[in-house]
Amino acid sequence: MKKKYKNFIYTILIIGAVFTVSSCKKFVELGAPPTQIGFEDAFKTDASAQSVVMGIYTQSSAAVNGFLTHVTFYPGISSDDVQYNGIDAGIQEFSKNALLSTNSFVNNTWGNLYQPIKNANNAISGITASTTLTASTKAQLLGEAKFLRAYFYFYAVNLFGDVPLPLKDDYSAFENAALPRTPSAQVYAQIIKDLTEAQAALPTTYAGTFRGRANKHAVTALLARVYLYQKDYANAEAQATQVISSGTYSLPAPELAFINNSNEIIWQIGNTTGVSVPGNGYVSAAASIPVYSLADGTYQSFESITDLRRANWTSSKTLGGKIYYSITKYKIGSGTGNEYNVALRLAEQYLIRAEARAQQNNLSGAKTDLDAVRLRAGLAGVSATLTQAQMLSAVEQERKMELFGEWGHRWFDLKRTNRADAVLGALRPTTWKTTSVLYPIPDAQRLINTALTQNLGYN
Amino acid sequence: MYFSAQSAEGRKKYVFFTASSQTRYLIRQLMRISSIIAIVFITSLQCLFATEVIAQSTQQVQVAIELNQETITSAIKKIEQNSPFRFLYRNNEVKNLKPVSIPLGARSVKETLDLILNGTGLTYNQVGDKILVSKLPVANTAESVNDTRLTGMVTDEIGNPLPGVSIRIKGDKEFSTASDQYGHYSVNIPAGKTITIIFSYVGYVTKEIAVDEKTNSLKTALVPEAGSLNEVQVIGYGTTTRKLNTGSVASISADEIQKQPVGNPLAALSGRMAGVLIAQNNGIPGSTVQVQIRGQNSLSQGGIPLYVVDGVPFTNFNGGSPPTDNLNAFGVSGASGGISPFGMINPSDIERIDILKDADATAIYGSRGANGVVLITTKKGQSGRVKVSANLSTGFTEVGRFIPMLDLQDYLALRKEAFQNDNAIPNATTAPDLTLWDQNSSTDFQKLLIGNRGHVNDIQASLSGGNDQTRFFFNSGYRKETGVFLGDNSNKRFTSRLNLDHVSQNKKFGASFSANYSNDNTILPASDVSSSYNLPPNLPLYDAAGKLFWATGFTNPMATLLKKYTGVTNNLIANANIKYTILPGLTAKTNFGYTNTRLEQINKDPFSSQNPASNPVSNATFTNLNAQNWIVEPTLDYNRNLGGGKFTALVGTSFQQNTSSGSSIFGNNYSSEDLLGTLSAAGTVTIRYNNIVKYKYNAVFAKLNYDWKEKYLINATFRRDGSSRFGPENRFGNFGAVGAAWIFSNEDFIKDNISFLSFGKLRAGFGTTGNDQIPNYLYLPLYNPTTPYLGNAAIIPSGLPNQTIKWETTKKLDLAIDLGFLKDRITFTANYYRNRSSDQITSNAVAFQSGYNSYTQNLPAVIQNQGLELELNTTNIVAKDFSWKSSLNLTFTDNKLIEFPNLDKSFVSFSYVVGESINLFRPYHFLGVNPANGAAMYEDRDGNGVINTSDRYVADLGTPFFGGFNNTFSYKGFDLGIFFQFNHRFGVTQILNTRPGALTNQNDYWLDRWTPSNTSSNIPGSSATAGTAIAASYNLYTQSDAVYGDASYLKLRSVNLSYTLPQEWLKHVKISNASVFVQGQNLYTWAKNKYVLDTETTVQGGPPGLGTGVISQVVPPLRTIVFGVNCSF
């Protein structure tokens, strides 16, 4: 009997020992699956770190309901630029300048801005910390990531005013999630800081195919725009000059401006299909009403029927007794094509410099730049006798006719020049409010992050 | 002691049940064998442990007792207190005996007993540590000299001798004997004659065997009757009996499964188990069957039970997350919507299925036991002559009922009226059905598309046999089931299984191996065309040239049928189990298991099936899955007698790994439709996804069980689990449970006073289990590959990792009473359970400025599932040739969210309400029809003048009670089973795809709709044009209680009739057993709701809650009727 007990106890002991010694902890540890890569590992090699930065581009180019959709159409219809012909009540709120803070499109816009910002933050933090990347790759990738972060913050601050400014990576995700809004001046300061650093880091050549990845000129072009918005006209002029005089870009005929190999393009956001987001939204089948079309007022503002932009960038059709003016800058609306999203182009740089020069009372300089854009459109130059105010007004008009349907330019122009009340107040007297220039901070976000305050005019 | 022979005294009580005086014979037999029944009952239970028990002889064990004019009972008690022996005796045999006295002194037990029993007419026998006290045997009747004497042995299903089995000879009313304690008996066989020996024993299936003088020895194994207290139930890492189980287990045996002509064994469980809700996704062969045990425990994670086939987990099939019991992980499937992994298991291979429900039974499975555990045990070989069995059946399937639709004239009238209501004139654009298409000829789309008869052919052949040491079972089956869709569609399955058992001569070493291979081929339309049931009846299918007709806004269902899906599944389950008895009572076992499932699917989308107007190209999607799973589980079992009771202990550890890889590749621009089966002919190839997922799992577990004289039972389990799905901080977790039972019918005060109560057990269990059915890698910060950017590879963060993620925990409480009356002719179980599941893993909102809008975390939300399960089994009539048995089960369920902190800030604030079921639905309240314009009206609950989302109320979509009612009759060779299933619930009652009046047919509910001349109707009117008042009022219609309601049903789920050919006939053709049968499944449904093909179907992604409705029409579970023969040689 006793021996049996002994054996039993031994067996139990052996088994117990096996359990503890074999350290089952090891057994259930698993690394990243073969189809994914761990956070730290992603920044170990040049190629992998590059794929992280490519991911930022990819995520911002998502075709449907992505960032590009949100900054193309909604600010467009908020201003007098684009007309919405659909029936979605949420989108109609934009075209009435009567947004509710519960509007789901505003909430999505917010999210679509911060998603690539998060990716950029992760990339900047991971690349900075990595000790295994080659110096040139590190500089290139950091430059691109900072440029992208600045690009998205530019839209955030212009659409919403003061916005939270998370700059840390995912390890601080909850800290990021709890941040209050940062005054817009500080957001701009960060944008300028990122762009200045990116400008120093990036070469003037483009990496990869087409002009899909930011180079030094793309950074400079965005910086010119940022300075203009900041009313820092000297710097705006200086930056725009760098781009214009680089000799890299030229103004092709309007019908060629948006095609992939157009020499006007400073930065294009690529995708897999070659069909751009504006093309997808503006181009419609012959017998159907375009969801988004050019506002009648803008079409009627073409000063001449010989304006090549009217001929090449618009078309009209009559459906159900109503005329719709389509925006045809991009020709392809579905399937596959050769048009990526042209985010920065040379004409804007001329217009930036024209405005900066006019503001600095360099009217002849302003006329030269304005005429460069008009010449390409087949128009005569502006009068040489314009006053400063007239010149600024001419610049505003030219921006409207050149940049219509693109990335909310008109909405931001009216806002930054304090012309929104006059122009949109007249257009929509019943629903326009001075506070409409900023979109509301989404309710859903304020519910989760109670530190977020609301913009004036919303509750 | 647990049983006394009231049966003999209670003779009159049988009259209550007996049908006629013909049963006297039986009663006499019962009386005769009653003296042994008590012995038999207990010994059979002990058989399980008999080999391990260290028995000592009555001569060796000394006891020192003194008796002073005491009863025999009291004397026996004293011996029990002082020795390891336990006594079995019949109360009435010892009750009236004279008191005995013996002086104090040390004697052996044998001596003591000889003293006590001297002159009482009683004798005793020792079996292990049991001492059976019984009357002296009656001398045998004289034998004829010419007879051959056959000696035989009766055993239970695992080969242990079965004493006390009643042995009779068919047609001989005089002869009767019983097996002795070694299971031995002898029978005289008259020269030149064949006799049929009938073995019968309470709780076991009666067996008849024909023998003649050439038969020289016979070993017969009896199997416990399903549902009897002796029925061996499989539980986690062991077995128990229904009688001694401290946990809550529902079981179904091969017998019940095989009576149903189902392809998927899970479909055979429907309605037969209390607390288990089964829903078929649809009736298409191969489709998924969902099993939910005691309610939904998780808000958003996996709710499927853990499936274990012969000890090998058969779950996490697809690597998808949360795991589903569907092999098509990533949404690519044919019309069936998914392939059930259980389609790979041949129902004929299954010996039994045990479903573990409460904490006591499931805690041994730790973090995987929360949703219950389904244990599938396959058939093993039986020693004896090699037996060849074959089962052939053939039959048909069809849709059992159709939705009554409007006929063409009623439909056209509806359309015309709709235009009148709108003040519009139909034209070729708005109403081709009124202006262009034939006004007289119509198509019944239901009959055309799903009204065909499918055919089922099933062939099974098995070979089994072996000797005392080695046994084998081999079964091969082929089943072909064609579908009800128009055109060629079928499911073909070939399965083979080999089970091999071996024990060494000294019984110390044992090994068993099994291998199961199955191959399944499914050819189906790529989508379920039953959703085309409401096409306009006069929609042309072909144009004048005989080509497919394409109307604007319609997909031609004949074209849909040209899109084919093929799915080929190969499945291997291999398993080895080795055991060695180190010391008496101490056994080491190791279980090795390996499963490999491969699924290869092709979805073909040929040019010819697409509308030529949209410049179609032929394309095909190739989706593959390869899942592998291995497990090693060493365990150590120990059992011994301790303190007069039986102590059992088990410790073990488990290592498991799952690897699953899946890919989907899209081939486009094929030059020829004929080449759609190969990727190499594709013009362009796109990889849709490629997932590789690993899962590792490790556990240590222990179980202690103590059984004190079959009166008091206690069972404690503990498991420490580690799962790779959790972060380092919470990778390991502890689970445990305690269960206890009191068999009060074994108490003397019950036995003496409540004679009609033959069995009574109270049991209770409490413990915790977990749910680890969550996505893998939630805790790791990872980058996922994404769409390349201009030719450069790109990756993006996969999500916000949660280092502290851990399993959901379910605390289970279980209280039950099991009762048996009149020698268990009536058994009743009432079981109350309450499961509380917390640490719910949910996606929670996080401020989007972090770059993420959700974060997966454990929330202290608590879901409560409580319910009452009632089971009643009765043997209504037992007569000589006729018997009638019934069983009824009924389950009441209640699901409630009892806690959810900060619900208002979460994503799901609109989905849940604290205090309500998690399967809630928020309908508008339909008020009826505005008599003035025919528009539907809804209640403005907040009174603000507009109908908006705040006017919705909370309704519980669910099943408050469900159950099944089974009756089996047998008369001579005939067996008849009739099974009804019922389900009371709130669910979808109408599927309204488009408002009446639009270019869609409607069911005949709309015949009584509002019209300008029938303004008092409660059914809204028709409108053909969007934007009219009537049309607008339909926008909320499908979100209102107009289409939800009582979706209860009663189904005649299965009927089977079989006739076993008499042995005498078969002997001459060397067939040992033959029967012919007819079986029917899903024969008829009585439902309150006639506008849904079958309310039982649950489409994944449909309304929450299992079996609460459908979001679109799908092929219902099919009426199946088969005829067949079964014979064994």
Side-chain angles (χ1 to χ4, degrees), chain B residues 12-31:
Chain B
K12 282 204 174 69
K13 291 191 177 70
Y14 277 84
V15 176
F16 173 74
F17 282 105
T18 46
S20 72
S21 60
Q22 286 182 323
T23 57
R24 288 240 171 118
Y25 173 69
L26 178 76
I27 293 166
R28 208 159 52 234
Q29 290 302 319
L30 284 169
M31 285 171 64

PDB file of all heavy atoms in Angstrom, chain B residues 12-31:
ATOM      1  N   LYS B  12     -49.735  -3.960  -8.444  1.00  0.00           N
ATOM      2  CA  LYS B  12     -50.980  -3.297  -8.852  1.00  0.00           C
ATOM      3  C   LYS B  12     -50.690  -2.014  -9.607  1.00  0.00           C
ATOM      4  O   LYS B  12     -51.397  -1.608 -10.494  1.00  0.00           O
ATOM      5  CB  LYS B  12     -51.824  -2.993  -7.623  1.00  0.00           C
ATOM      6  CG  LYS B  12     -52.541  -4.213  -7.098  1.00  0.00           C
ATOM      7  CD  LYS B  12     -53.778  -3.804  -6.315  1.00  0.00           C
ATOM      8  CE  LYS B  12     -54.593  -4.993  -5.902  1.00  0.00           C
ATOM      9  NZ  LYS B  12     -53.909  -5.812  -4.869  1.00  0.00           N
ATOM     10  N   LYS B  13     -49.635  -1.382  -9.236  1.00  0.00           N
ATOM     11  CA  LYS B  13     -49.337  -0.093  -9.883  1.00  0.00           C
ATOM     12  C   LYS B  13     -49.148  -0.258 -11.380  1.00  0.00           C
ATOM     13  O   LYS B  13     -49.383   0.636 -12.145  1.00  0.00           O
ATOM     14  CB  LYS B  13     -48.079   0.507  -9.272  1.00  0.00           C
ATOM     15  CG  LYS B  13     -48.316   0.951  -7.860  1.00  0.00           C
ATOM     16  CD  LYS B  13     -47.164   1.766  -7.361  1.00  0.00           C
ATOM     17  CE  LYS B  13     -47.434   2.288  -5.966  1.00  0.00           C
ATOM     18  NZ  LYS B  13     -47.416   1.195  -4.966  1.00  0.00           N
ATOM     19  N   TYR B  14     -48.713  -1.426 -11.763  1.00  0.00           N
ATOM     20  CA  TYR B  14     -48.513  -1.636 -13.187  1.00  0.00           C
ATOM     21  C   TYR B  14     -49.802  -1.677 -13.953  1.00  0.00           C
ATOM     22  O   TYR B  14     -49.833  -1.371 -15.131  1.00  0.00           O
ATOM     23  CB  TYR B  14     -47.725  -2.932 -13.423  1.00  0.00           C
ATOM     24  CG  TYR B  14     -46.277  -2.664 -13.276  1.00  0.00           C
ATOM     25  CD1 TYR B  14     -45.695  -2.682 -12.011  1.00  0.00           C
ATOM     26  CD2 TYR B  14     -45.497  -2.338 -14.367  1.00  0.00           C
ATOM     27  CE1 TYR B  14     -44.367  -2.399 -11.855  1.00  0.00           C
ATOM     28  CE2 TYR B  14     -44.176  -2.053 -14.215  1.00  0.00           C
ATOM     29  CZ  TYR B  14     -43.595  -2.096 -12.958  1.00  0.00           C
ATOM     30  OH  TYR B  14     -42.296  -1.821 -12.802  1.00  0.00           O
ATOM     31  N   VAL B  15     -50.826  -2.027 -13.253  1.00  0.00           N
ATOM     32  CA  VAL B  15     -52.125  -2.107 -13.916  1.00  0.00           C
ATOM     33  C   VAL B  15     -52.487  -0.765 -14.528  1.00  0.00           C
ATOM     34  O   VAL B  15     -53.047  -0.667 -15.602  1.00  0.00           O
ATOM     35  CB  VAL B  15     -53.196  -2.567 -12.915  1.00  0.00           C
ATOM     36  CG1 VAL B  15     -54.561  -2.572 -13.556  1.00  0.00           C
ATOM     37  CG2 VAL B  15     -52.835  -3.950 -12.391  1.00  0.00           C
ATOM     38  N   PHE B  16     -52.044   0.216 -13.837  1.00  0.00           N
ATOM     39  CA  PHE B  16     -52.286   1.579 -14.300  1.00  0.00           C
ATOM     40  C   PHE B  16     -51.811   1.765 -15.750  1.00  0.00           C
ATOM     41  O   PHE B  16     -52.402   2.452 -16.539  1.00  0.00           O
ATOM     42  CB  PHE B  16     -51.542   2.529 -13.369  1.00  0.00           C
ATOM     43  CG  PHE B  16     -51.551   3.955 -13.818  1.00  0.00           C
ATOM     44  CD1 PHE B  16     -52.697   4.706 -13.706  1.00  0.00           C
ATOM     45  CD2 PHE B  16     -50.410   4.520 -14.355  1.00  0.00           C
ATOM     46  CE1 PHE B  16     -52.703   6.015 -14.109  1.00  0.00           C
ATOM     47  CE2 PHE B  16     -50.418   5.832 -14.757  1.00  0.00           C
ATOM     48  CZ  PHE B  16     -51.556   6.581 -14.635  1.00  0.00           C
ATOM     49  N   PHE B  17     -50.722   1.115 -16.039  1.00  0.00           N
ATOM     50  CA  PHE B  17     -50.152   1.269 -17.372  1.00  0.00           C
ATOM     51  C   PHE B  17     -50.513   0.162 -18.339  1.00  0.00           C
ATOM     52  O   PHE B  17     -50.435   0.353 -19.532  1.00  0.00           O
ATOM     53  CB  PHE B  17     -48.619   1.308 -17.279  1.00  0.00           C
ATOM     54  CG  PHE B  17     -48.131   2.637 -16.814  1.00  0.00           C
ATOM     55  CD1 PHE B  17     -47.658   2.805 -15.530  1.00  0.00           C
ATOM     56  CD2 PHE B  17     -48.161   3.722 -17.671  1.00  0.00           C
ATOM     57  CE1 PHE B  17     -47.214   4.022 -15.104  1.00  0.00           C
ATOM     58  CE2 PHE B  17     -47.712   4.946 -17.245  1.00  0.00           C
ATOM     59  CZ  PHE B  17     -47.238   5.097 -15.957  1.00  0.00           C
ATOM     60  N   THR B  18     -50.820  -1.000 -17.798  1.00  0.00           N
ATOM     61  CA  THR B  18     -50.972  -2.123 -18.708  1.00  0.00           C
ATOM     62  C   THR B  18     -52.175  -1.949 -19.605  1.00  0.00           C
ATOM     63  O   THR B  18     -53.217  -1.436 -19.219  1.00  0.00           O
ATOM     64  CB  THR B  18     -51.131  -3.451 -17.946  1.00  0.00           C
ATOM     65  OG1 THR B  18     -52.076  -3.229 -16.922  1.00  0.00           O
ATOM     66  CG2 THR B  18     -49.828  -3.911 -17.373  1.00  0.00           C
ATOM     67  N   ALA B  19     -51.996  -2.426 -20.809  1.00  0.00           N
ATOM     68  CA  ALA B  19     -53.052  -2.256 -21.784  1.00  0.00           C
ATOM     69  C   ALA B  19     -54.078  -3.364 -21.673  1.00  0.00           C
ATOM     70  O   ALA B  19     -55.261  -3.151 -21.851  1.00  0.00           O
ATOM     71  CB  ALA B  19     -52.467  -2.248 -23.185  1.00  0.00           C
ATOM     72  N   SER B  20     -53.633  -4.549 -21.361  1.00  0.00           N
ATOM     73  CA  SER B  20     -54.563  -5.670 -21.329  1.00  0.00           C
ATOM     74  C   SER B  20     -54.006  -6.749 -20.407  1.00  0.00           C
ATOM     75  O   SER B  20     -52.891  -6.662 -19.912  1.00  0.00           O
ATOM     76  CB  SER B  20     -54.737  -6.236 -22.729  1.00  0.00           C
ATOM     77  OG  SER B  20     -53.554  -6.918 -23.074  1.00  0.00           O
ATOM     78  N   SER B  21     -54.776  -7.769 -20.246  1.00  0.00           N
ATOM     79  CA  SER B  21     -54.349  -8.855 -19.358  1.00  0.00           C
ATOM     80  C   SER B  21     -53.200  -9.651 -19.970  1.00  0.00           C
ATOM     81  O   SER B  21     -52.551 -10.438 -19.301  1.00  0.00           O
ATOM     82  CB  SER B  21     -55.525  -9.785 -19.063  1.00  0.00           C
ATOM     83  OG  SER B  21     -55.988 -10.311 -20.296  1.00  0.00           O
ATOM     84  N   GLN B  22     -52.961  -9.406 -21.239  1.00  0.00           N
ATOM     85  CA  GLN B  22     -51.852 -10.120 -21.875  1.00  0.00           C
ATOM     86  C   GLN B  22     -50.513  -9.757 -21.268  1.00  0.00           C
ATOM     87  O   GLN B  22     -49.531 -10.451 -21.419  1.00  0.00           O
ATOM     88  CB  GLN B  22     -51.804  -9.774 -23.367  1.00  0.00           C
ATOM     89  CG  GLN B  22     -52.914 -10.452 -24.139  1.00  0.00           C
ATOM     90  CD  GLN B  22     -52.813 -10.132 -25.610  1.00  0.00           C
ATOM     91  OE1 GLN B  22     -52.455  -9.028 -25.973  1.00  0.00           O
ATOM     92  NE2 GLN B  22     -53.137 -11.107 -26.438  1.00  0.00           N
ATOM     93  N   THR B  23     -50.489  -8.651 -20.603  1.00  0.00           N
ATOM     94  CA  THR B  23     -49.221  -8.224 -20.039  1.00  0.00           C
ATOM     95  C   THR B  23     -48.881  -8.967 -18.761  1.00  0.00           C
ATOM     96  O   THR B  23     -47.817  -8.780 -18.197  1.00  0.00           O
ATOM     97  CB  THR B  23     -49.263  -6.733 -19.734  1.00  0.00           C
ATOM     98  OG1 THR B  23     -50.348  -6.505 -18.873  1.00  0.00           O
ATOM     99  CG2 THR B  23     -49.386  -5.907 -20.980  1.00  0.00           C
ATOM    100  N   ARG B  24     -49.795  -9.800 -18.324  1.00  0.00           N
ATOM    101  CA  ARG B  24     -49.535 -10.563 -17.088  1.00  0.00           C
ATOM    102  C   ARG B  24     -48.201 -11.290 -17.152  1.00  0.00           C
ATOM    103  O   ARG B  24     -47.456 -11.347 -16.201  1.00  0.00           O
ATOM    104  CB  ARG B  24     -50.652 -11.583 -16.854  1.00  0.00           C
ATOM    105  CG  ARG B  24     -51.922 -10.919 -16.429  1.00  0.00           C
ATOM    106  CD  ARG B  24     -52.335 -11.441 -15.074  1.00  0.00           C
ATOM    107  NE  ARG B  24     -53.428 -10.658 -14.588  1.00  0.00           N
ATOM    108  CZ  ARG B  24     -54.625 -11.169 -14.341  1.00  0.00           C
ATOM    109  NH1 ARG B  24     -54.850 -12.455 -14.536  1.00  0.00           N
ATOM    110  NH2 ARG B  24     -55.575 -10.403 -13.886  1.00  0.00           N
ATOM    111  N   TYR B  25     -48.019 -11.865 -18.292  1.00  0.00           N
ATOM    112  CA  TYR B  25     -46.792 -12.636 -18.456  1.00  0.00           C
ATOM    113  C   TYR B  25     -45.573 -11.772 -18.146  1.00  0.00           C
ATOM    114  O   TYR B  25     -44.665 -12.155 -17.426  1.00  0.00           O
ATOM    115  CB  TYR B  25     -46.708 -13.176 -19.888  1.00  0.00           C
ATOM    116  CG  TYR B  25     -45.381 -13.828 -20.160  1.00  0.00           C
ATOM    117  CD1 TYR B  25     -45.015 -15.012 -19.555  1.00  0.00           C
ATOM    118  CD2 TYR B  25     -44.468 -13.197 -21.020  1.00  0.00           C
ATOM    119  CE1 TYR B  25     -43.789 -15.588 -19.783  1.00  0.00           C
ATOM    120  CE2 TYR B  25     -43.242 -13.781 -21.266  1.00  0.00           C
ATOM    121  CZ  TYR B  25     -42.901 -14.980 -20.644  1.00  0.00           C
ATOM    122  OH  TYR B  25     -41.688 -15.531 -20.880  1.00  0.00           O
ATOM    123  N   LEU B  26     -45.654 -10.609 -18.700  1.00  0.00           N
ATOM    124  CA  LEU B  26     -44.544  -9.695 -18.494  1.00  0.00           C
ATOM    125  C   LEU B  26     -44.386  -9.364 -17.016  1.00  0.00           C
ATOM    126  O   LEU B  26     -43.285  -9.339 -16.470  1.00  0.00           O
ATOM    127  CB  LEU B  26     -44.785  -8.420 -19.301  1.00  0.00           C
ATOM    128  CG  LEU B  26     -43.703  -7.375 -19.104  1.00  0.00           C
ATOM    129  CD1 LEU B  26     -42.464  -7.770 -19.892  1.00  0.00           C
ATOM    130  CD2 LEU B  26     -44.193  -6.027 -19.508  1.00  0.00           C
ATOM    131  N   ILE B  27     -45.503  -9.137 -16.397  1.00  0.00           N
ATOM    132  CA  ILE B  27     -45.440  -8.784 -14.978  1.00  0.00           C
ATOM    133  C   ILE B  27     -44.816  -9.910 -14.168  1.00  0.00           C
ATOM    134  O   ILE B  27     -43.975  -9.694 -13.315  1.00  0.00           O
ATOM    135  CB  ILE B  27     -46.853  -8.443 -14.445  1.00  0.00           C
ATOM    136  CG1 ILE B  27     -47.329  -7.146 -15.133  1.00  0.00           C
ATOM    137  CG2 ILE B  27     -46.840  -8.278 -12.939  1.00  0.00           C
ATOM    138  CD1 ILE B  27     -48.783  -6.896 -14.959  1.00  0.00           C
ATOM    139  N   ARG B  28     -45.243 -11.136 -14.548  1.00  0.00           N
ATOM    140  CA  ARG B  28     -44.674 -12.281 -13.846  1.00  0.00           C
ATOM    141  C   ARG B  28     -43.156 -12.316 -14.045  1.00  0.00           C
ATOM    142  O   ARG B  28     -42.388 -12.537 -13.131  1.00  0.00           O
ATOM    143  CB  ARG B  28     -45.320 -13.564 -14.370  1.00  0.00           C
ATOM    144  CG  ARG B  28     -45.337 -14.681 -13.340  1.00  0.00           C
ATOM    145  CD  ARG B  28     -46.391 -15.720 -13.669  1.00  0.00           C
ATOM    146  NE  ARG B  28     -46.296 -16.210 -15.034  1.00  0.00           N
ATOM    147  CZ  ARG B  28     -47.300 -16.206 -15.900  1.00  0.00           C
ATOM    148  NH1 ARG B  28     -48.480 -15.723 -15.546  1.00  0.00           N
ATOM    149  NH2 ARG B  28     -47.150 -16.681 -17.111  1.00  0.00           N
ATOM    150  N   GLN B  29     -42.804 -12.038 -15.253  1.00  0.00           N
ATOM    151  CA  GLN B  29     -41.374 -12.009 -15.535  1.00  0.00           C
ATOM    152  C   GLN B  29     -40.686 -10.925 -14.710  1.00  0.00           C
ATOM    153  O   GLN B  29     -39.616 -11.136 -14.154  1.00  0.00           O
ATOM    154  CB  GLN B  29     -41.124 -11.731 -17.024  1.00  0.00           C
ATOM    155  CG  GLN B  29     -41.503 -12.864 -17.934  1.00  0.00           C
ATOM    156  CD  GLN B  29     -40.753 -14.130 -17.575  1.00  0.00           C
ATOM    157  OE1 GLN B  29     -39.570 -14.084 -17.267  1.00  0.00           O
ATOM    158  NE2 GLN B  29     -41.444 -15.248 -17.554  1.00  0.00           N
ATOM    159  N   LEU B  30     -41.347  -9.818 -14.680  1.00  0.00           N
ATOM    160  CA  LEU B  30     -40.761  -8.718 -13.923  1.00  0.00           C
ATOM    161  C   LEU B  30     -40.587  -9.091 -12.467  1.00  0.00           C
ATOM    162  O   LEU B  30     -39.583  -8.795 -11.833  1.00  0.00           O
ATOM    163  CB  LEU B  30     -41.643  -7.466 -14.035  1.00  0.00           C
ATOM    164  CG  LEU B  30     -41.536  -6.720 -15.369  1.00  0.00           C
ATOM    165  CD1 LEU B  30     -42.634  -5.682 -15.456  1.00  0.00           C
ATOM    166  CD2 LEU B  30     -40.167  -6.091 -15.520  1.00  0.00           C
ATOM    167  N   MET B  31     -41.604  -9.792 -11.954  1.00  0.00           N
ATOM    168  CA  MET B  31     -41.517 -10.203 -10.561  1.00  0.00           C
ATOM    169  C   MET B  31     -40.354 -11.149 -10.365  1.00  0.00           C
ATOM    170  O   MET B  31     -39.611 -11.079  -9.403  1.00  0.00           O
ATOM    171  CB  MET B  31     -42.823 -10.878 -10.134  1.00  0.00           C
ATOM    172  CG  MET B  31     -43.935  -9.877  -9.925  1.00  0.00           C
ATOM    173  SD  MET B  31     -45.480 -10.730  -9.684  1.00  0.00           S
ATOM    174  CE  MET B  31     -45.164 -11.602  -8.170  1.00  0.00           C
TER     175      MET B  31
END
